[in-house]
Amino acid sequence: MNINDFDFDLPEELIAQTPLEDRTSSRLLVMDREKETIDHKHFYNITSYLNPGDCLVLNNTRVLPARLYGVKEDTGAKVEVLLLHQRQGDEWEVLVKPAKKIKLGTKISFGDGKLVAECTELQDHGGRILTFSYEGIFLEVLESLGEMPLPPYIKEQVSDRERYQTVYSKEEGSAAAPTAGLHFTKELLQEIQDKGVEIAYITLHVGLGTFRPVSVDSVEEHDMHAEFYQMSKETADQLNRIHNNGGRIIPVGTTSTRTLETIARDHGSFKEASGWTDIFIYPPYDFKAIDGLITNFHLPKSTLIMLVSALSGKEFVMRAYKEAVEEQYRFFSFGDAMLIL
């Protein structure tokens, strides 16, 4: 399958640069897979598409302020560091710019020495292993010095950091937000639960590989990045009960989808589990865990649009995206949403 099968024309002005003030006022494109119909609604209408006994699965990861600006201790040269994931203790895998200036033993100072990092390992493509030293609690130091690592297509900084977090974010560890969840407010979630729809939580820490373009012509040759996931026994029991009772399991976002499909693939049902998943979902794919999907609009030729195409069929998805462009929907992280049933 060729990567160009998942391309589409997107005017740059449709890439949302800032979030809407009211999270729920985003538009909602509703795709019915059986009837192959498309409806245009708003996100606050989503409750009417959910039934008592259904379950929404939310990814409760929280974005780290993972972009740091510092200086080399020996020369004072400026350095940008992006935290990818914690290895152990104070050792982190990171990306640095300019990478060629950061060699083994190089020390980088942030915030006038409030945080210091030493390079202990070199990796490919600007990757480094840094060991940090500081006083106090690392996450508190990071909160005071770091910036949100917004996707490369967003050119503006967000004045309110919490607007790039879901209202249910809890587990620190992501380099990017699970953006489908940005449309929910606590009030909307309560309205959904009041209707008899259950809420379940899983964790998948989103890596920057989410934004990495597919660089091969053949989809099958793409090397998928790995991300850490976790499901509790409570959530596994809840999802098995809902499934056995005939309720629909509807993940919020491709991150929740990848977690559920990984566990269903590896265990045959929902089970308490954690680990690293590099599952790559593209057509044709036999979904084992989900009955629908809430998601945002994704980049052309991305692994995410491939996942959506595996669920709804490539032709139907491309027709929906073409209609979304014609209807001037807002795209990507701060953009509008899609409901697939």
Side-chain angles (χ1 to χ4, degrees), residues 154-175:
I154 294 177
K155 310 301 181 189
E156 301 180 26
Q157 273 297 321
V158 179
S159 56
D160 177 11
R161 280 186 180 182
E162 285 304 307
R163 199 54 187 81
Y164 193 57
Q165 305 278 14
T166 63
V167 297
Y168 47 81
S169 64
K170 182 180 177 184
E171 304 294 337
E172 301 262 12
S174 273

mmCIF file of all heavy atoms in Angstrom, residues 154-175:
data_model
loop_
_atom_site.group_PDB
_atom_site.id
_atom_site.type_symbol
_atom_site.label_atom_id
_atom_site.label_comp_id
_atom_site.label_asym_id
_atom_site.label_seq_id
_atom_site.Cartn_x
_atom_site.Cartn_y
_atom_site.Cartn_z
ATOM 1 N N ILE A 154 2.005 24.118 14.987
ATOM 2 C CA ILE A 154 1.441 25.214 15.781
ATOM 3 C C ILE A 154 2.546 26.229 16.038
ATOM 4 O O ILE A 154 3.560 25.916 16.671
ATOM 5 C CB ILE A 154 0.841 24.699 17.107
ATOM 6 C CG1 ILE A 154 -0.380 23.817 16.810
ATOM 7 C CG2 ILE A 154 0.438 25.860 18.016
ATOM 8 C CD1 ILE A 154 -1.019 23.201 18.033
ATOM 9 N N LYS A 155 2.362 27.423 15.510
ATOM 10 C CA LYS A 155 3.422 28.432 15.546
ATOM 11 C C LYS A 155 3.319 29.361 16.757
ATOM 12 O O LYS A 155 4.235 30.133 17.021
ATOM 13 C CB LYS A 155 3.379 29.288 14.264
ATOM 14 C CG LYS A 155 3.323 28.483 12.975
ATOM 15 C CD LYS A 155 4.492 27.546 12.805
ATOM 16 C CE LYS A 155 4.409 26.781 11.484
ATOM 17 N NZ LYS A 155 5.417 25.714 11.385
ATOM 18 N N GLU A 156 2.203 29.314 17.492
ATOM 19 C CA GLU A 156 2.013 30.225 18.619
ATOM 20 C C GLU A 156 2.095 29.471 19.944
ATOM 21 O O GLU A 156 1.694 28.311 20.032
ATOM 22 C CB GLU A 156 0.628 30.905 18.502
ATOM 23 C CG GLU A 156 0.437 31.691 17.227
ATOM 24 C CD GLU A 156 -0.940 32.334 17.156
ATOM 25 O OE1 GLU A 156 -1.521 32.595 18.227
ATOM 26 O OE2 GLU A 156 -1.427 32.564 16.035
ATOM 27 N N GLN A 157 2.608 30.146 20.970
ATOM 28 C CA GLN A 157 2.599 29.564 22.311
ATOM 29 C C GLN A 157 1.209 29.733 22.920
ATOM 30 O O GLN A 157 0.499 30.695 22.625
ATOM 31 C CB GLN A 157 3.650 30.245 23.205
ATOM 32 C CG GLN A 157 5.044 29.635 23.104
ATOM 33 C CD GLN A 157 5.111 28.181 23.566
ATOM 34 O OE1 GLN A 157 4.489 27.789 24.537
ATOM 35 N NE2 GLN A 157 5.882 27.381 22.836
ATOM 36 N N VAL A 158 0.825 28.801 23.759
ATOM 37 C CA VAL A 158 -0.480 28.866 24.412
ATOM 38 C C VAL A 158 -0.325 29.588 25.745
ATOM 39 O O VAL A 158 0.531 29.234 26.563
ATOM 40 C CB VAL A 158 -1.036 27.447 24.640
ATOM 41 C CG1 VAL A 158 -2.393 27.499 25.336
ATOM 42 C CG2 VAL A 158 -1.161 26.715 23.315
ATOM 43 N N SER A 159 -1.140 30.618 25.962
ATOM 44 C CA SER A 159 -1.002 31.429 27.181
ATOM 45 C C SER A 159 -1.378 30.637 28.431
ATOM 46 O O SER A 159 -0.774 30.798 29.485
ATOM 47 C CB SER A 159 -1.865 32.688 27.075
ATOM 48 O OG SER A 159 -3.213 32.345 26.828
ATOM 49 N N ASP A 160 -2.379 29.766 28.302
ATOM 50 C CA ASP A 160 -2.810 28.946 29.435
ATOM 51 C C ASP A 160 -2.375 27.507 29.186
ATOM 52 O O ASP A 160 -2.927 26.815 28.337
ATOM 53 C CB ASP A 160 -4.333 29.031 29.588
ATOM 54 C CG ASP A 160 -4.867 28.138 30.709
ATOM 55 O OD1 ASP A 160 -4.039 27.622 31.494
ATOM 56 O OD2 ASP A 160 -6.093 27.969 30.795
ATOM 57 N N ARG A 161 -1.372 27.043 29.933
ATOM 58 C CA ARG A 161 -0.846 25.689 29.737
ATOM 59 C C ARG A 161 -1.924 24.610 29.844
ATOM 60 O O ARG A 161 -1.868 23.590 29.170
ATOM 61 C CB ARG A 161 0.235 25.393 30.782
ATOM 62 C CG ARG A 161 1.594 25.964 30.471
ATOM 63 C CD ARG A 161 2.559 25.445 31.517
ATOM 64 N NE ARG A 161 3.902 25.937 31.307
ATOM 65 C CZ ARG A 161 4.927 25.599 32.071
ATOM 66 N NH1 ARG A 161 4.736 24.798 33.101
ATOM 67 N NH2 ARG A 161 6.134 26.075 31.830
ATOM 68 N N GLU A 162 -2.892 24.830 30.726
ATOM 69 C CA GLU A 162 -3.913 23.810 30.954
ATOM 70 C C GLU A 162 -4.782 23.589 29.725
ATOM 71 O O GLU A 162 -5.464 22.573 29.627
ATOM 72 C CB GLU A 162 -4.781 24.190 32.153
ATOM 73 C CG GLU A 162 -4.101 23.982 33.488
ATOM 74 C CD GLU A 162 -3.608 22.547 33.699
ATOM 75 O OE1 GLU A 162 -4.419 21.614 33.551
ATOM 76 O OE2 GLU A 162 -2.407 22.363 33.998
ATOM 77 N N ARG A 163 -4.751 24.525 28.776
ATOM 78 C CA ARG A 163 -5.566 24.357 27.573
ATOM 79 C C ARG A 163 -4.997 23.293 26.659
ATOM 80 O O ARG A 163 -5.675 22.819 25.740
ATOM 81 C CB ARG A 163 -5.703 25.701 26.845
ATOM 82 C CG ARG A 163 -6.852 25.777 25.878
ATOM 83 C CD ARG A 163 -8.187 25.418 26.518
ATOM 84 N NE ARG A 163 -9.254 25.334 25.517
ATOM 85 C CZ ARG A 163 -9.468 24.274 24.735
ATOM 86 N NH1 ARG A 163 -8.709 23.206 24.820
ATOM 87 N NH2 ARG A 163 -10.455 24.273 23.865
ATOM 88 N N TYR A 164 -3.726 22.905 26.890
ATOM 89 C CA TYR A 164 -3.123 21.791 26.149
ATOM 90 C C TYR A 164 -3.087 20.533 27.017
ATOM 91 O O TYR A 164 -2.306 19.632 26.780
ATOM 92 C CB TYR A 164 -1.723 22.177 25.660
ATOM 93 C CG TYR A 164 -1.139 21.222 24.640
ATOM 94 C CD1 TYR A 164 -1.809 20.942 23.442
ATOM 95 C CD2 TYR A 164 0.083 20.602 24.861
ATOM 96 C CE1 TYR A 164 -1.273 20.064 22.519
ATOM 97 C CE2 TYR A 164 0.634 19.730 23.928
ATOM 98 C CZ TYR A 164 -0.052 19.452 22.762
ATOM 99 O OH TYR A 164 0.471 18.592 21.838
ATOM 100 N N GLN A 165 -3.929 20.482 28.038
ATOM 101 C CA GLN A 165 -4.137 19.288 28.849
ATOM 102 C C GLN A 165 -5.618 18.939 28.799
ATOM 103 O O GLN A 165 -6.470 19.831 28.708
ATOM 104 C CB GLN A 165 -3.752 19.537 30.318
ATOM 105 C CG GLN A 165 -2.349 20.055 30.561
ATOM 106 C CD GLN A 165 -1.288 18.954 30.574
ATOM 107 O OE1 GLN A 165 -1.540 17.827 30.146
ATOM 108 N NE2 GLN A 165 -0.098 19.292 31.044
ATOM 109 N N THR A 166 -5.935 17.661 28.877
ATOM 110 C CA THR A 166 -7.337 17.279 29.057
ATOM 111 C C THR A 166 -7.735 17.598 30.493
ATOM 112 O O THR A 166 -6.888 17.678 31.386
ATOM 113 C CB THR A 166 -7.538 15.777 28.798
ATOM 114 O OG1 THR A 166 -6.782 15.027 29.763
ATOM 115 C CG2 THR A 166 -7.088 15.402 27.385
ATOM 116 N N VAL A 167 -9.044 17.782 30.722
ATOM 117 C CA VAL A 167 -9.508 18.123 32.066
ATOM 118 C C VAL A 167 -9.369 16.936 33.019
ATOM 119 O O VAL A 167 -9.466 17.102 34.239
ATOM 120 C CB VAL A 167 -10.972 18.623 32.059
ATOM 121 C CG1 VAL A 167 -11.086 19.913 31.261
ATOM 122 C CG2 VAL A 167 -11.936 17.557 31.527
ATOM 123 N N TYR A 168 -9.117 15.742 32.464
ATOM 124 C CA TYR A 168 -8.949 14.543 33.298
ATOM 125 C C TYR A 168 -7.498 14.050 33.310
ATOM 126 O O TYR A 168 -7.216 12.935 33.739
ATOM 127 C CB TYR A 168 -9.889 13.424 32.825
ATOM 128 C CG TYR A 168 -9.865 13.205 31.325
ATOM 129 C CD1 TYR A 168 -8.869 12.447 30.716
ATOM 130 C CD2 TYR A 168 -10.840 13.772 30.515
ATOM 131 C CE1 TYR A 168 -8.846 12.263 29.352
ATOM 132 C CE2 TYR A 168 -10.826 13.594 29.145
ATOM 133 C CZ TYR A 168 -9.830 12.824 28.564
ATOM 134 O OH TYR A 168 -9.803 12.647 27.201
ATOM 135 N N SER A 169 -6.562 14.870 32.836
ATOM 136 C CA SER A 169 -5.152 14.458 32.816
ATOM 137 C C SER A 169 -4.655 14.222 34.237
ATOM 138 O O SER A 169 -4.984 14.959 35.159
ATOM 139 C CB SER A 169 -4.290 15.507 32.124
ATOM 140 O OG SER A 169 -4.295 16.717 32.852
ATOM 141 N N LYS A 170 -3.847 13.188 34.409
ATOM 142 C CA LYS A 170 -3.425 12.790 35.759
ATOM 143 C C LYS A 170 -1.998 12.258 35.801
ATOM 144 O O LYS A 170 -1.205 12.650 36.654
ATOM 145 C CB LYS A 170 -4.398 11.721 36.281
ATOM 146 C CG LYS A 170 -4.117 11.235 37.689
ATOM 147 C CD LYS A 170 -5.134 10.173 38.094
ATOM 148 C CE LYS A 170 -4.817 9.620 39.474
ATOM 149 N NZ LYS A 170 -5.747 8.517 39.844
ATOM 150 N N GLU A 171 -1.656 11.346 34.886
ATOM 151 C CA GLU A 171 -0.373 10.642 34.934
ATOM 152 C C GLU A 171 0.667 11.366 34.080
ATOM 153 O O GLU A 171 0.598 11.348 32.860
ATOM 154 C CB GLU A 171 -0.538 9.197 34.453
ATOM 155 C CG GLU A 171 -1.579 8.385 35.213
ATOM 156 C CD GLU A 171 -1.197 8.150 36.661
ATOM 157 O OE1 GLU A 171 0.005 8.208 36.970
ATOM 158 O OE2 GLU A 171 -2.104 7.899 37.483
ATOM 159 N N GLU A 172 1.633 12.021 34.729
ATOM 160 C CA GLU A 172 2.669 12.789 34.001
ATOM 161 C C GLU A 172 3.513 11.870 33.129
ATOM 162 O O GLU A 172 3.902 10.784 33.555
ATOM 163 C CB GLU A 172 3.594 13.492 35.004
ATOM 164 C CG GLU A 172 2.888 14.451 35.948
ATOM 165 C CD GLU A 172 2.989 15.886 35.493
ATOM 166 O OE1 GLU A 172 3.404 16.131 34.352
ATOM 167 O OE2 GLU A 172 2.651 16.765 36.312
ATOM 168 N N GLY A 173 3.797 12.319 31.888
ATOM 169 C CA GLY A 173 4.714 11.527 31.094
ATOM 170 C C GLY A 173 4.652 11.700 29.591
ATOM 171 O O GLY A 173 5.442 11.103 28.874
ATOM 172 N N SER A 174 3.736 12.519 29.064
ATOM 173 C CA SER A 174 3.602 12.646 27.612
ATOM 174 C C SER A 174 4.397 13.820 27.059
ATOM 175 O O SER A 174 4.549 14.849 27.720
ATOM 176 C CB SER A 174 2.133 12.831 27.223
ATOM 177 O OG SER A 174 1.501 11.581 27.062
ATOM 178 N N ALA A 175 4.841 13.642 25.808
ATOM 179 C CA ALA A 175 5.477 14.738 25.086
ATOM 180 C C ALA A 175 4.463 15.479 24.218
ATOM 181 O O ALA A 175 4.788 16.484 23.603
ATOM 182 C CB ALA A 175 6.606 14.195 24.203
#
